[in-house]
């Protein structure tokens, strides 16, 4: 595949869940020169046909972001009627690769920069490889969050449920396996680091989500300059109001989500200083360990957490 594509380099946000990614992506997507879409979830398969079949058989709302994007971009609004039209539009293109679909959407929003954030992509190395092939000139924003804050937030969101998601959150070195979200924190960041290891340095930026929330003007300006967009006062003000996005709200009943439901219910940005987090001490979700495992401590320190 040629590395010269006929649309601006997409801005792809990669992070574990509960890393301020919905808010950060929405703020970047509110920039006048960008188009922030809901989570497309395209790269779980190579082609659209098996992806659409997977969506149809899966519980939950994995397909909502793609349906809302197509409804808005090709049919002008997000309603149950245009979501039905979006389903037909996608069915007619089920022969395409998922990379071709991603490129089709990127061309549709051009000359604006497509901002993409799909949490499913980071769970498997193969998903990240598909993303890389789809847009070899993309810019990748690796978004961080302290493991204690990220893991605590994940526990609060999903609890100790028993399903396929929870299987990725277990320490399988114990018998029976023990619920421990630090395992996923480490694995996802390792997936991202490996996937980006051969990407040119100018296409990768790493930033702590806590820093973005504490000083958004500074850090958003740094990100958009790196992404080739302007950083004037008008652009910064736009990014501080993600609630103005046509996707920053609950969608129609047939496709309500496409992002973190809590964010969609209240997408207003409020500057905040995160509570200081420590790498030392016991873990509230696990009582059989004295604290984080050595591999997590090493990776967190490499990211600048203390």
């Amino acid at each position: 595949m040629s590395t010269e594509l006929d649309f601006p380099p997409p801005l792809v946000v990669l992070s574990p869940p509960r890393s301020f990614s919905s808010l950060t992506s929405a703020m970047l997507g509110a920039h006048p020169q960008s188009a922030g879409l809901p989570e497309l979830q395209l790269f779980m398969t190579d082609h659209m046909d098996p992806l659409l079949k997977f969506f149809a058989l899966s519980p939950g709302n994995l397909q909502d972001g793609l349906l809302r994007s197509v409804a808005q971009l090709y049919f002008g609004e997000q309603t149950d009627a245009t979501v039905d039209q979006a389903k037909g539009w996608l069915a007619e293109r089920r022969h395409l690769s998922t990379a071709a679909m991603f490129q089709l959407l990127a061309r549709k929003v051009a000359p604006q920069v497509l901002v993409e954030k799909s949490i499913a992509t980071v769970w498997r190395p193969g998903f990240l490889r598909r993303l890389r092939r789809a847009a070899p000139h993309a810019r990748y924003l690796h978004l961080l969050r302290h493991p204690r804050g990220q893991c605590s937030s994940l526990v609060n969101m999903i609890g100790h449920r028993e399903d396929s998601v929870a299987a990725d959150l277990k320490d399988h070195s114990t018998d029976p396996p023990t619920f421990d979200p630090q395992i996923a924190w480490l694995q996802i960041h390792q997936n991202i680091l490996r996937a980006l290891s051969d990407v040119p340095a100018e296409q990768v930026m790493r930033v702590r989500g806590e820093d973005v929330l504490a000083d958004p003007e500074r850090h958003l300006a740094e990100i958009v300059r790196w992404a080739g967009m302007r950083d004037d006062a008008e652009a910064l003000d736009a990014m501080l109001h993600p609630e103005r996005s046509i996707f920053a709200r609950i969608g129609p009943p047939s496709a309500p989500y496409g992002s973190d439901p809590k964010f969609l219910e209240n997408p207003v940005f409020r500057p905040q200083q995160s509570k200081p987090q420590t790498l030392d001490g016991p873990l509230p979700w696990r009582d059989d360990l004295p604290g984080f495992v050595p591999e997590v401590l090493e990776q967190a320190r490499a990211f600048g957490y203390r």
Side-chain angles (χ1 to χ4, degrees), residues 88-140:
W89 186 94
L90 289 166
E92 292 172 357
R93 291 159 179 81
R94 62 190 317 127
H95 62 284
L96 294 177
S97 68
T98 49
M101 178 59 65
F102 182 78
Q103 294 170 13
L104 197 63
L105 296 175
R107 291 189 188 99
K108 182 66 175 177
V109 302
Q112 291 179 298
V113 173
L114 174 64
V115 177
E116 149 72 6
K117 187 273 293 188
S118 294
I119 287 297
T121 305
V122 301
W123 287 90
R124 299 288 183 268
F127 300 173
L128 286 161
R129 287 194 291 270
R130 291 190 186 104
L131 168 63
R132 289 279 316 278
R133 291 195 296 268
H137 63 341
R139 292 185 175 93
Y140 297 97

Side-chain angles (χ1 to χ4, degrees), residues 16 123 147 150-151 154 166-174 177-191 283 285-286 289 292-293 295-296:
W123 287 90
Q150 188 270 342
C151 291
L154 196 59
D168 285 312
L169 302 174
K170 290 186 176 180
D171 177 0
H172 291 272
S173 69
T174 64
T178 305
F179 176 83
D180 194 348
Q182 71 172 306
I183 304 302
W185 182 93
L186 178 63
Q187 186 60 58
I188 289 172
H189 281 302
Q190 289 179 337
N191 289 346
L283 308 175
W285 58 87
R286 186 165 180 175
L289 289 178
F292 288 112
V293 298
E295 296 85 354
V296 168

Side-chain angles (χ1 to χ4, degrees), residues 7-14 28 33 102 112-117 131-132 135-142 196 199-206 222-229:
F7 50 84
L11 173 53
V12 180
V13 179
L14 299 174
L28 293 170
Q33 292 176 288
F102 182 78
Q112 291 179 298
V113 173
L114 174 64
V115 177
E116 149 72 6
K117 187 273 293 188
L131 168 63
R132 289 279 316 278
H137 63 341
R139 292 185 175 93
Y140 297 97
L141 181 68
H142 184 183
L196 301 181
V199 175
E202 64 270 17
Q203 291 178 230
V204 179
M205 176 179 276
R206 191 163 291 115
E222 291 175 351
I223 294 168
V224 298
R225 283 197 301 269
W226 161 74
M229 295 185 285

Side-chain angles (χ1 to χ4, degrees), residues 7-175:
F7 50 84
L11 173 53
V12 180
V13 179
L14 299 174
S15 76
R18 312 308 299 169
S19 298
F20 313 116
S21 57
S22 293
L23 177 57
T24 301
S25 299
M27 289 194 292
L28 293 170
H31 190 285
Q33 292 176 288
S34 72
L37 299 185
E39 298 187 19
L40 301 175
Q41 314 290 15
L42 285 173
F43 299 112
M44 292 183 284
T45 63
D46 282 317
H47 291 87
M48 290 301 299
D49 183 63
L51 183 69
L52 295 176
K53 290 176 179 175
F54 175 76
F55 284 163
L57 295 173
S58 298
N61 301 86
L62 276 174
Q63 76 279 14
D64 285 7
L66 181 59
L67 290 172
R68 291 183 65 182
S69 297
V70 171
Q72 183 67 47
L73 295 179
Y74 289 91
F75 301 103
E77 59 182 347
Q78 300 165 64
T79 65
D80 286 332
T82 60
V83 166
D84 282 341
Q85 289 178 290
K87 291 177 180 177
W89 186 94
L90 289 166
E92 292 172 357
R93 291 159 179 81
R94 62 190 317 127
H95 62 284
L96 294 177
S97 68
T98 49
M101 178 59 65
F102 182 78
Q103 294 170 13
L104 197 63
L105 296 175
R107 291 189 188 99
K108 182 66 175 177
V109 302
Q112 291 179 298
V113 173
L114 174 64
V115 177
E116 149 72 6
K117 187 273 293 188
S118 294
I119 287 297
T121 305
V122 301
W123 287 90
R124 299 288 183 268
F127 300 173
L128 286 161
R129 287 194 291 270
R130 291 190 186 104
L131 168 63
R132 289 279 316 278
R133 291 195 296 268
H137 63 341
R139 292 185 175 93
Y140 297 97
L141 181 68
H142 184 183
L143 189 64
L144 312 176
R145 185 178 182 181
H146 192 289
R148 188 174 295 275
Q150 188 270 342
C151 291
S152 297
S153 180
L154 196 59
V155 170
N156 290 337
M157 182 180 75
I158 72 169
H160 290 65
R161 72 191 194 197
E162 296 291 330
D163 59 15
S164 59
V165 172
D168 285 312
L169 302 174
K170 290 186 176 180
D171 177 0
H172 291 272
S173 69
T174 64
D175 186 17

